[in-house]
């Protein structure tokens, strides 16, 4: 049941992707557990150095012989004036003071290079590659595909999906505004690309001829069944897996996921300079008062890194980035394999009941 063009192409049993979650959340254990359960585990490799990426891929392989995907961030060039950086450093010092960490730290340019990361995927013969935040050059996509790798892009509007299809991808993640984590928007300002999953999935399905994966607010079998009815070939679930034992999320973050409701998330640029949805924190609220310019991604991300790390060490969620989607109240801390199984079991029952929906039998 639930075999689609995409599950056949990827050689997976169920149309359930565990979302790649960079920053240590999608651990090799989580990826392998989902793939072993018949879904598609995805490693969020965006922040990993080439060496870390290779080692995580090898760790996944030790734990599963099933297909899995690796996700990277398409790099963006951002410049910021010295004044904006100086002002932000000064502003952030009050948190450093509170957390007992050094003032005016050196901001390290990230050491990961997209080309080197991609080279690792080619060398390691990863079979599925997904990306977000943009679109790699057509040459790079072709090189990756020539290595037999299935390529998946991320879109938040129909125009982005069409551009990805022209760029040569094999499938598209349609990311609705409910989604936790960073917005994949790359053609316009993220505030103009906040289309809900229910609305964006069928519109993208209508305008491209490749498989679409629905993402954003999908937490269980109801979300899976609904997405398939909207024309998706699979779902990508992030928040649903955040609190499970195999997830690498910090314990305090997991507790927040399990105790916070659907009305408690906001989209913010405060932590990274790029729009992302997370549980509202004091840091996010404070930043509304900031009168200067928030530096663009990835500069702001690098500038807040020491604060987020110190906050995690101190178990202080108000200064951590608690990325999460709007399906929060449906999250649980079951093992990843149970989440996959329950989602499939529930969707199977719903689909069998479909002929009776809207009739008196549908109780
Ligand atoms: C903690 C977290 C980290 C994420 N990191 C990534 C990432 O590295 N790459 C990516 O393509 N998407 C990332 N996402 C977005 C997911 O791919 C997906 O769009 C989202 O989780 C779907 O919404 P949901 O969280 O409501 O299930 C992340 C999401 C979360 C919650």
């Amino acid at each position: 049941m639930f075999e689609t063009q995409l599950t056949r192409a990827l050689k997976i049993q169920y149309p359930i992707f565990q979302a790649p979650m960079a920053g240590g959340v999608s651990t090799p254990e989580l990826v392998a557990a989902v793939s072993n359960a018949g879904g598609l585990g995805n490693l969020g490799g965006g922040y990993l150095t080439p060496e870390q990426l290779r080692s995580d891929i090898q760790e996944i392989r030790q734990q599963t012989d099933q297909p899995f995907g690796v996700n990277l961030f398409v790099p963006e060039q951002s410049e910021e004036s010295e004044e904006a950086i100086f002002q932000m450093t000064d502003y952030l010092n009050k948190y450093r003071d509170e957390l007992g960490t050094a003032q005016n730290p050196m901001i390290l340019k990230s050491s990961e290079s997209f080309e080197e990361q991609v080279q690792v995927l080619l060398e390691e013969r990863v079979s599925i590659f997904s990306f977000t935040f943009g679109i790699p050059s057509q040459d790079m996509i072709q090189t990756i595909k020539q290595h037999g790798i299935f390529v998946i892009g991320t879109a938040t509007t129909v125009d982005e999906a069409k551009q990805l299809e022209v760029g040569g991808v094999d499938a598209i993640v349609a990311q609705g505004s409910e989604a936790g984590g960073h917005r994949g928007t790359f053609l316009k300002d993220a505030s103009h690309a906040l289309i809900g999953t229910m609305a964006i999935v069928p519109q993208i399905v209508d305008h491209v001829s490749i498989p679409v994966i629905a993402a954003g607010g999908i937490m269980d079998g109801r979300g899976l069944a609904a997405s398939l009815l909207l024309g998706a070939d699979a779902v990508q679930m992030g928040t649903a897996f955040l609190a499970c034992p195999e997830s690498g999320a910090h314990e305090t973050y997991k507790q927040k996921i399990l105790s916070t409701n659907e009305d408690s998330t906001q989209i913010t640029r405060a932590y990274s300079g790029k729009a992302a949805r997370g549980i509202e924190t004091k840091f996010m609220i404070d930043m509304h008062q900031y009168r200067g310019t928030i530096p663009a991604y990835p500069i702001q991300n690098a500038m807040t890194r020491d604060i987020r790390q110190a906050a995690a060490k101190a178990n202080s969620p108000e200064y951590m980035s608690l990325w999460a989607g709007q399906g929060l109240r449906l999250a649980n801390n079951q093992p990843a394999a149970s989440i996959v199984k329950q989602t499939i079991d529930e969707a199977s029952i719903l689909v069998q009941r479909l002929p009776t929906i809207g009739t008196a039998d549908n109780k």
Side-chain angles (χ1 to χ4, degrees), residues 109-152:
K109 276 214 143 196
S110 45
S111 55
E112 67 271 4
S113 136
F114 185 58
E115 283 72 22
E116 285 171 27
Q117 289 172 322
V118 168
Q119 192 54 37
V120 171
L121 305 194
L122 303 182
E123 286 166 15
E124 291 295 322
R125 301 179 170 277
V126 164
S127 58
I128 301 154
F129 164 55
S130 70
F131 60 83
T132 186
F133 300 169
I135 171 161
S137 69
Q138 221 150 346
D139 275 359
M140 183 182 259
I141 294 184
Q142 285 317 317
T143 307
I144 295 170
K145 285 177 64 164
Q146 277 156 17
H147 281 73
I149 299 175
F150 192 93
V151 179
I152 305 175

Side-chain angles (χ1 to χ4, degrees), residues 263-291:
D263 56 357
S264 305
T265 71
Q266 289 291 339
I267 292 185
T268 184
R269 289 183 62 241
Y271 286 105
S272 68
K274 181 186 276 299
R277 184 179 291 285
I279 296 170
E280 191 165 59
T281 59
K282 181 173 181 303
F283 186 79
M284 277 158 70
I285 296 167
D286 282 4
M287 198 61 92
H288 292 311
Q289 312 301 325
Y290 185 66
R291 290 288 153 252

Side-chain angles (χ1 to χ4, degrees), residues 19-22 71 73 132 175 179-181 215-217 236-239 253 323 325:
M21 292 183 278
N71 175 271
F73 298 150
T132 186
Q175 188 189 39
Q236 176 151 293
M237 296 159 61
T239 305
Y253 181 8
W323 304 137

Side-chain angles (χ1 to χ4, degrees), residues 61-361:
R61 288 223 166 98
Q62 280 164 15
Q63 297 175 52
T64 186
D65 54 8
Q66 296 300 307
F68 62 91
V70 177
N71 175 271
L72 296 176
F73 298 150
V74 178
E76 13 194 337
Q77 295 308 324
S78 49
E79 301 261 321
E80 209 53 80
S81 70
E82 271 186 31
E83 195 192 330
I85 293 183
F86 178 79
Q87 263 185 19
M88 180 57 76
T89 306
D90 193 47
Y91 175 81
L92 293 173
N93 277 340
K94 70 176 180 199
Y95 300 107
R96 300 189 172 108
D97 210 24
E98 217 173 296
L99 291 161
T101 183
Q103 307 267 301
N104 305 319
M106 275 268 289
I107 304 303
L108 292 177
K109 276 214 143 196
S110 45
S111 55
E112 67 271 4
S113 136
F114 185 58
E115 283 72 22
E116 285 171 27
Q117 289 172 322
V118 168
Q119 192 54 37
V120 171
L121 305 194
L122 303 182
E123 286 166 15
E124 291 295 322
R125 301 179 170 277
V126 164
S127 58
I128 301 154
F129 164 55
S130 70
F131 60 83
T132 186
F133 300 169
I135 171 161
S137 69
Q138 221 150 346
D139 275 359
M140 183 182 259
I141 294 184
Q142 285 317 317
T143 307
I144 295 170
K145 285 177 64 164
Q146 277 156 17
H147 281 73
I149 299 175
F150 192 93
V151 179
I152 305 175
T154 305
T156 60
T157 62
V158 170
D159 283 347
E160 288 174 352
K162 286 195 218 158
Q163 192 160 321
L164 286 165
E165 184 175 31
V166 171
V169 304
D170 298 302
I172 292 169
V173 172
Q175 188 189 39
S177 57
E178 298 92 322
H182 283 102
R183 308 288 309 144
T185 307
F186 61 94
L187 282 186
K188 47 167 61 178
D189 188 86
S191 61
H192 294 287
L194 294 174
I195 299 109
T197 306
M198 186 89 173
I200 196 63
V201 170
Q203 294 186 76
I204 290 184
V205 165
D206 279 354
H207 285 89
V208 298
S209 57
I210 49 180
V212 172
I213 301 125
I218 300 161
M219 302 293 289
D220 56 23
R222 292 171 293 183
L224 170 59
S227 301
L228 295 175
L229 288 175
L230 291 173
D233 260 44
V235 294
Q236 176 151 293
M237 296 159 61
T239 305
F241 289 103
L242 267 174
C244 72
E246 298 91 340
S247 144
H250 191 285
E251 249 347 281
T252 306
Y253 181 8
K254 289 187 178 179
Q255 285 313 317
K256 278 284 202 180
I257 293 291
L258 295 172
S259 60
T260 309
N261 295 334
E262 75 289 352
D263 56 357
S264 305
T265 71
Q266 289 291 339
I267 292 185
T268 184
R269 289 183 62 241
Y271 286 105
S272 68
K274 181 186 276 299
R277 184 179 291 285
I279 296 170
E280 191 165 59
T281 59
K282 181 173 181 303
F283 186 79
M284 277 158 70
I285 296 167
D286 282 4
M287 198 61 92
H288 292 311
Q289 312 301 325
Y290 185 66
R291 290 288 153 252
T293 306
I294 298 179
Y297 180 90
I299 299 171
Q300 178 73 353
N301 199 48
M303 293 187 75
T304 64
R305 186 167 289 134
D306 65 315
I307 294 170
R308 288 178 281 125
Q309 285 173 350
K313 231 177 177 174
N315 295 319
S316 173
E318 294 304 321
Y319 302 137
M320 289 162 65
S321 53
L322 307 172
W323 304 137
Q326 291 179 322
L328 268 178
R329 214 189 275 254
L330 299 168
N332 65 57
N333 58 359
Q334 298 285 311
S338 308
I339 296 173
V340 173
K341 184 173 183 317
Q342 277 169 22
T343 302
I344 287 295
D345 289 350
E346 193 181 4
S348 308
I349 294 169
L350 286 172
V351 169
Q352 280 159 23
R353 266 179 32 192
L354 261 184
T356 66
I357 282 179
T359 70
D361 295 342

